[in-house]
Amino acid sequence: MRQIAIVFLLLVSHLCEAQFGSAIAFPNNSKRTTLDTSPEFFVLNWEENTVLDISETPMTITVDSVGAQKINILRNKDRAPVLYSSNIVTPVCADGDCKLMHITLYWTLLGDYAGFDRSVEEPLTKHDHDEFLFTDYWKLHELLQDHNSILKRRAIDELVTKPKPSTIEGVDALSGATVKEVKESVVSGALYSCYVAWHLVHGKIKEELKAYTLGQQNEDMLLRMLNSAHTNYQMYALENLDQDQYKANFPRISELFKSGIPLVRSFIIKNMADMFVQSPSTMQPFWDALPHIDINTRSLLLQHIDTASEATVTTISTQLGVLTKNQLLKFLSHLENKKSLSAEILENLRRFAASSKEKNAYIVVQFLEDYS
């Protein structure tokens, strides 16, 4: 089956070369020198009045039957890199008639999928060259955001059942149904187009783009990533900032600890573990976030309870309802090691123990009995 698919793609290539000639014209937007509006389908935030200058890089991306196509870098008014893009043109054939797929792909500075622009003059098509509807473009956008799609692990011939290609039909016209595993994630009637687009976005170009960014990396870039709403940028910045930069940007980092995803939170708390001992008062924003963070991060935070101030411990005694059983036991173990407990903490414990709504109240009841 793999041999059939390879031969079939060669037939498509020859057919398209015969129909279009060896030179393929690029879409109109390939001549643009600036980008002043957000890509139509985009995963990043686009700030108002942004204007990005477009220039070529030494990098190219290889498209089957067409060859190398240029990778552009988009820079802001300060000449700082913001995005990468490429104006992709590749043939898609169906029922013996070949058309060109025009699409402008965008990548983040880390080589992740950022979005795409469609061509108004040359819309994407499906079987019988029916034009994509907006919902089809949106489905493609969702597919391209899935870096772990089944398309990553399957060859094109493994995505259809009982393929029976003719000698000139395109892959999208294979006689056979799209396998159930992938059917819901691709645009109906455009399996080949989706497959090609996904592999262009998530191919080896990702590491090439990231390496190119690394060559231009500076503190300003890292700080822009740190202040981005994009999780991968946040993580990259956190992984590359040194301890002095962590301290200098503590307000933003403590904000991310409260609002970020669990992966970001756990990385921050592990990377700042020494700060709980060296500067307990500085870490107060972390303790303030305790009721708002996920369970796993809360457990990581409570590992530092022995360095918390008395005021923090008192506050936590009013928040026992958000703690799991093990977290509650960890907190009570800390109280056991104290010479004495304040009247306020004891009152908070008694109130929790007396509550009929708290399933872990019995643990505090036992603690108070042992304490007295």
Side-chain angles (χ1 to χ4, degrees):
M1 289 179 67
R2 289 180 184 272
Q3 291 178 331
I4 291 174
I6 293 171
V7 171
F8 195 58
L9 289 175
L10 289 174
L11 288 171
V12 170
S13 174
H14 290 312
L15 180 62
C16 289
E17 182 172 342
Q19 183 166 341
F20 296 109
S22 58
I24 294 179
F26 283 77
N28 293 337
N29 62 2
S30 65
K31 298 179 181 179
R32 294 177 63 177
T33 59
T34 61
L35 182 69
D36 56 10
T37 58
S38 170
E40 184 175 11
F41 300 90
F42 201 47
V43 301
L44 302 177
N45 291 337
W46 184 271
E47 296 183 6
E48 190 176 357
N49 299 321
T50 293
V51 178
L52 302 178
D53 291 327
I54 304 173
S55 58
E56 294 180 1
T57 72
M59 296 178 290
T60 59
I61 185 169
T62 301
V63 181
D64 287 343
S65 77
V66 176
Q69 298 187 19
K70 295 175 181 177
I71 295 288
N72 299 316
I73 189 167
L74 285 66
R75 300 178 183 273
N76 63 18
K77 62 181 180 180
D78 298 320
R79 303 303 300 159
V82 176
L83 289 170
Y84 295 107
S85 73
S86 184
N87 301 304
I88 300 296
V89 182
T90 187
V92 176
C93 300
D95 300 327
D97 180 25
C98 290
K99 294 188 69 174
L100 294 177
M101 179 175 77
H102 295 258
I103 187 171
T104 300
L105 297 174
Y106 297 92
W107 292 266
T108 72
L109 296 179
L110 301 180
D112 299 316
Y113 170 70
F116 72 85
D117 272 324
R118 52 178 167 167
S119 169
V120 176
E121 295 82 6
E122 298 288 345
L124 299 185
T125 56
K126 302 177 282 187
H127 280 322
D128 300 321
H129 296 305
D130 291 335
E131 294 183 2
F132 269 41
L133 303 174
F134 181 83
T135 53
D136 296 323
Y137 283 108
W138 188 260
K139 192 166 190 177
L140 176 61
H141 180 50
E142 291 180 325
L143 170 68
L144 296 180
Q145 292 179 66
D146 181 7
H147 70 277
N148 200 35
S149 167
I150 187 176
L151 302 186
K152 178 180 182 178
R153 303 180 296 279
R154 299 287 186 90
I156 185 67
D157 58 295
E158 296 176 315
L159 300 176
V160 290
T161 58
K162 298 179 181 179
K164 297 177 182 178
S166 72
T167 57
I168 58 174
E169 288 177 325
V171 176
D172 276 344
L174 286 173
S175 177
T178 304
V179 297
K180 185 177 180 180
E181 292 173 274
V182 75
K183 189 173 183 179
E184 294 302 316
S185 63
V186 300
V187 176
S188 179
L191 171 61
Y192 181 58
S193 299
C194 291
Y195 187 86
V196 169
W198 191 93
H199 280 274
L200 286 172
V201 166
H202 297 284
K204 64 179 182 179
I205 191 63
K206 174 184 173 74
E207 293 306 319
E208 293 179 25
L209 295 175
K210 190 172 182 179
Y212 194 82
T213 295
L214 185 61
Q216 305 180 72
Q217 180 176 303
N218 55 32
E219 184 173 6
D220 287 342
M221 179 188 289
L222 290 177
L223 295 184
R224 285 197 306 275
M225 289 184 175
L226 183 67
N227 287 283
S228 167
H230 186 50
T231 298
N232 287 358
Y233 278 171
Q234 295 169 4
M235 278 299 301
Y236 184 82
L238 291 168
E239 290 168 351
N240 286 275
L241 293 174
D242 60 32
Q243 287 301 312
D244 289 338
Q245 290 168 324
Y246 262 75
K247 294 175 182 178
N249 294 280
F250 184 81
R252 171 59 177 167
I253 292 174
S254 60
E255 178 186 336
L256 285 177
F257 181 77
K258 183 174 180 179
S259 63
I261 66 170
L263 179 64
V264 169
R265 290 170 174 160
S266 62
F267 186 88
I268 289 173
I269 198 167
K270 290 175 181 177
N271 208 47
M272 301 193 74
D274 292 345
M275 289 284 289
F276 284 94
V277 177
Q278 297 170 1
S279 184
S281 60
T282 301
M283 304 305 287
Q284 188 56 44
F286 282 59
W287 293 110
D288 293 341
L290 185 139
H292 311 289
I293 57 180
D294 59 282
I295 291 175
N296 290 335
T297 308
R298 194 179 300 132
S299 293
L300 291 174
L301 181 59
L302 286 170
Q303 290 179 8
H304 303 283
I305 187 63
D306 292 339
T307 66
S309 67
E310 182 69 14
T312 294
V313 174
T314 301
T315 299
I316 295 175
S317 71
T318 68
Q319 301 168 338
L320 302 183
V322 305
L323 304 183
T324 65
K325 177 181 177 181
N326 287 337
Q327 291 168 356
L328 181 56
L329 289 171
K330 174 68 174 176
F331 178 70
L332 295 176
S333 175
H334 169 72
L335 297 184
E336 284 179 343
N337 294 327
K338 297 174 72 68
K339 293 182 179 180
S340 62
L341 299 179
S342 69
E344 186 175 358
I345 290 177
L346 286 171
E347 179 57 29
N348 291 334
L349 294 177
R350 293 188 185 104
R351 186 180 298 110
F352 182 85
S355 175
S356 60
K357 298 180 180 180
E358 300 293 348
K359 65 179 181 179
N360 292 323
Y362 73 96
I363 298 175
V364 179
V365 170
Q366 183 63 55
F367 173 83
L368 289 172
E369 290 176 352
D370 294 341
Y371 180 79
S372 59

